[in-house]
């Protein structure tokens, strides 16, 4: 549910981000070292080869991806058919896998599906040429994210940036505060804003995934990348002291009634993007903590991005400046040179830069220069991904079994909603999180 909604919103990011002004770059992509092996000799050696690619994208996102596929077709001669999986990728792919007719390449919205399909022997390992591109262009973390039982199967080809705090410029001016760079500054600013007569934060408590995003940013910053990885695999319990620290920090902003627009009960009745409306439309709050796709909702609320709708990076709570990403992983389901060549292209600097010039796209490819992005907002977001390097982490709840991290009214979503309602019992919340985790990881 979260992924489908986020994908649809992110597809329109350019509409909002265009308000930042910069025209698309015309810098040509460097193709000197990233041509697919199938085209190494310069000829269209996949002429006559037919490939089917399945992904969730529709509308503008689909059209943009089809431009990337066309660039591959023009280069190699391969003929590609695009199939939309709809909102539930698993429901689409499952019957096709069982029927022995999967697409050649599938784009998975959750890394957890890589392990699931690998366990079903439905995926083909990445070829040596694809692995070379992955090793050249991505940090080891992203390679591991696309792996199952240590064997690489997927490439993260598209990202969403989840470490942002969006704010209303006038609310900050009225309170006389500036964007925070540390958590302590954020809490201090919140008190100043509250004293000026405006609730500092708007939460979409009815959409549990927004609360997991908040926790993940705080936890990555306070506990560090290594503990983040351990918790995401349930290698340390949710009763661990590192979780206590993160919840204590969150308690500082959800534990004061005047800090939360419409109070906890109102927040728990507000879904996404209703929390954005409270900042920019009804002006009940000054800030909303969420991903890059807030830009579109802010525009729809009448706030121009870069003017009234502004953002700053999620502030450091501990030693790490958090950068949490969501994203989509490409995998091969039919072992053919054409399918492997397409993944090599998508993993390459060339493929990434072609896509980066189109709206609504962010890359985890460290060699895709942010200068390729078509607007200032996306350039800034892209630069933070590159600058964070090995400290970037994937959305933790999407790495967990869906029963724990991605089910409405259950698991982590439900416990964090209960914590928003009553943040006084941190140990109790941790015990409930651990109980739910044990069920999901059994």
């Amino acid at each position: 549910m979260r992924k489908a909604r986020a994908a649809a919103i992110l597809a329109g990011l350019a509409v909002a981000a265009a308000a930042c002004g910069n025209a698309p770059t015309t810098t040509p992509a460097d193709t000197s070292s990233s041509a697919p092996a199938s085209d190494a000799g310069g000829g269209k050696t996949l002429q006559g080869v037919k490939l089917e690619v399945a992904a969730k994208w529709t509308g503008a996102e689909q059209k943009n991806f089809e431009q990337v596929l066309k660039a591959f077709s023009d280069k190699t001669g391969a003929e590609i058919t695009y199939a939309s999986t709809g909102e539930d990728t698993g429901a689409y792919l499952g019957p096709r896998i069982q029927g022995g007719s999967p697409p050649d390449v599938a784009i998975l919205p959750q890394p957890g599906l890589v392990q699931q399909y690998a366990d079903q022997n439905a995926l083909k390992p990445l070829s040596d040429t694809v692995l070379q591109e992955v090793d050249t262009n991505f940090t080891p973390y992203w390679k591991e994210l696309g792996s199952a039982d240590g064997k690489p199967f997927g490439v993260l080809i598209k990202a969403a940036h989840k470490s942002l705090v969006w704010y209303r410029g006038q609310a900050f001016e009225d309170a006389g505060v500036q964007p925070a760079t540390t958590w302590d500054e954020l809490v201090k600013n919140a008190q100043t804003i509250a004293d000026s007569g405006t609730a500092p934060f708007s939460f979409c408590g009815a959409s549990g995934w927004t609360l997991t995003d908040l926790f993940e940013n705080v936890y990555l910053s306070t506990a560090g990348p290594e503990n983040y990885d351990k918790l995401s695999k349930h290698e340390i319990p949710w009763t661990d002291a590192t979780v206590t620290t993160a919840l204590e920090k969150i308690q500082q902003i959800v534990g004061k009634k005047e800090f939360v627009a419409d109070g906890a009960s109102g927040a728990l009745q507000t879904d996404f993007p209703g929390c954005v409306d409270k900042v920019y439309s009804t002006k009940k709050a000054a800030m909303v903590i969420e991903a890059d796709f807030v830009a579109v909702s802010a525009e729809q609320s009448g706030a121009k991005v870069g003017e009234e709708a502004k953002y700053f990076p999620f502030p450091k709570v501990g030693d790490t400046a958090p950068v949490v990403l969501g994203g989509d992983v490409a995998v091969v389901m039919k072992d053919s040179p054409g399918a492997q060549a397409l993944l090599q292209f998508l993993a390459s600097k060339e493929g990434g830069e072609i896509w980066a010039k189109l709206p609504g796209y962010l890359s985890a490819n460290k060699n895709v220069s942010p200068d390729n992005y078509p607007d200032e907002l996306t350039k800034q977001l892209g630069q933070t991904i590159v600058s964070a390097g090995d400290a970037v982490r994937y959305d933790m709840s999407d790495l967990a079994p869906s029963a724990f991290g991605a089910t409405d009214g259950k698991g982590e979503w439900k416990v964090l909603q209960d914590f928003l309602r009553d943040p006084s019992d941190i140990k109790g919340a941790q015990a409930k999180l651990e109980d739910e985790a044990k069920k999901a990881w059994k």
Side-chain angles (χ1 to χ4, degrees):
M1 180 175 66
R2 160 177 34 177
K3 289 296 179 184
R5 179 177 293 168
I9 298 173
L10 186 57
L13 178 61
V15 176
C20 294
N22 285 28
T25 178
T26 56
T27 305
D30 178 6
T31 63
S32 59
S33 62
S34 55
S38 59
D39 194 34
K44 295 186 176 182
T45 54
L46 293 179
Q47 196 76 46
V49 171
K50 295 184 178 181
L51 297 172
E52 183 185 20
V53 179
K56 67 184 179 185
W57 300 313
T58 59
E61 275 193 309
Q62 176 182 333
K63 290 179 181 178
N64 289 341
F65 183 50
E66 286 177 333
Q67 288 190 53
V68 179
L69 296 178
K70 183 179 184 300
F72 175 77
S73 295
D74 291 344
K75 186 180 185 70
T76 65
E79 181 181 332
I80 301 179
T81 300
Y82 177 86
S84 177
T85 66
E87 294 186 4
D88 193 335
T89 300
Y92 175 89
L93 291 176
R96 294 197 57 179
I97 292 170
Q98 293 171 9
S101 60
D104 296 274
V105 171
I107 315 298
L108 308 179
Q110 290 177 287
L113 290 174
V114 176
Q115 182 69 57
Q116 177 181 322
Y117 293 139
D119 289 343
Q120 297 174 16
N121 295 317
L123 304 182
K124 307 302 178 183
L126 301 180
S127 69
D128 290 342
T129 51
V130 178
L131 283 175
Q132 183 177 354
E133 289 291 351
V134 171
D135 289 338
T136 298
N137 298 314
F138 296 85
T139 66
Y141 176 74
W142 298 119
K143 182 178 180 180
E144 180 183 349
L145 198 68
S147 300
D149 300 323
K151 184 177 292 185
F153 288 99
V155 180
L156 186 87
I157 59 171
K158 192 172 189 290
H161 198 303
K162 294 196 162 196
S163 298
L164 301 174
V165 180
W166 290 83
Y167 68 100
R168 181 163 45 87
Q170 190 61 53
F172 271 42
E173 289 181 23
D174 291 345
V177 299
Q178 297 295 322
T181 58
T182 68
W183 186 260
D184 288 345
E185 288 179 5
L186 182 68
V187 175
K188 183 179 179 181
N189 284 351
Q191 187 62 62
T192 303
I193 293 169
D195 291 343
S196 75
T198 298
F201 299 104
S202 175
F203 294 104
C204 279
S207 298
W209 57 267
T210 65
L211 303 179
T212 69
D213 288 348
L214 171 60
F215 173 82
E216 288 154 9
N217 276 285
V218 174
Y219 189 80
L220 177 57
S221 188
T222 55
E226 290 185 8
N227 282 320
Y228 187 99
D229 293 342
K230 291 177 182 178
L231 187 62
S232 70
K233 300 171 185 175
H234 200 217
E235 292 176 354
I236 57 176
W238 283 80
T239 51
D240 192 79
T242 58
V243 178
T244 307
T245 298
L247 291 177
E248 286 174 345
K249 295 295 184 180
I250 295 173
Q251 185 187 59
Q252 293 178 341
I253 64 172
V254 303
K256 286 194 172 184
K257 183 177 181 181
E258 68 268 27
F259 278 14
V260 181
D262 294 327
S265 60
L268 287 165
Q269 296 177 50
T270 305
D271 63 5
F272 188 90
C275 51
V276 182
D277 295 338
K278 288 185 181 181
V279 175
Y280 296 112
S281 180
T282 61
K283 297 180 172 54
K284 288 184 176 181
M287 291 177 279
V288 59
I289 301 171
E290 245 318 312
D292 49 18
F293 45 75
V294 165
V296 174
S297 300
E299 285 274 335
Q300 292 172 344
S301 292
K304 195 170 185 180
V305 173
E307 295 181 9
E308 185 64 349
K310 300 180 180 180
Y311 75 91
F312 55 92
F314 197 99
K316 287 180 69 173
V317 195
D319 294 333
T320 302
V323 177
V324 177
L325 301 182
D328 304 279
V329 180
V331 295
V332 173
M333 290 192 154
K334 286 184 180 178
D335 199 3
S336 69
Q340 295 285 352
L342 176 57
L343 250 70
Q344 184 184 357
F345 180 76
L346 294 174
S348 71
K349 180 176 184 287
E350 176 188 5
E353 289 189 343
I354 289 171
W355 206 344
K357 291 181 173 67
L358 303 172
Y361 174 78
L362 284 170
S363 177
N365 185 325
K366 64 185 179 183
N367 291 317
V368 171
S369 170
D371 290 340
N372 287 280
Y373 294 118
D375 55 77
E376 192 59 34
L377 171 63
T378 319
K379 286 180 182 179
Q380 292 171 4
L381 297 176
Q383 185 58 57
T384 64
I385 295 173
V386 173
S387 299
D390 291 340
V392 175
R393 286 298 181 267
Y394 197 89
D395 184 310
M396 186 189 295
S397 62
D398 281 348
L399 297 174
S402 60
F404 179 75
T407 302
D408 193 15
K410 295 182 179 181
E412 186 184 6
W413 291 22
K414 175 65 163 59
V415 177
L416 290 181
Q417 286 172 327
D418 290 343
F419 183 69
L420 175 61
R421 181 180 292 107
D422 178 14
S424 64
D425 187 7
I426 290 175
K427 293 297 184 182
Q430 287 185 258
K432 291 177 183 178
L433 286 165
E434 179 60 15
D435 287 345
E436 293 297 322
K438 284 179 178 177
K439 295 176 189 176
W441 266 276
K442 64 182 179 180

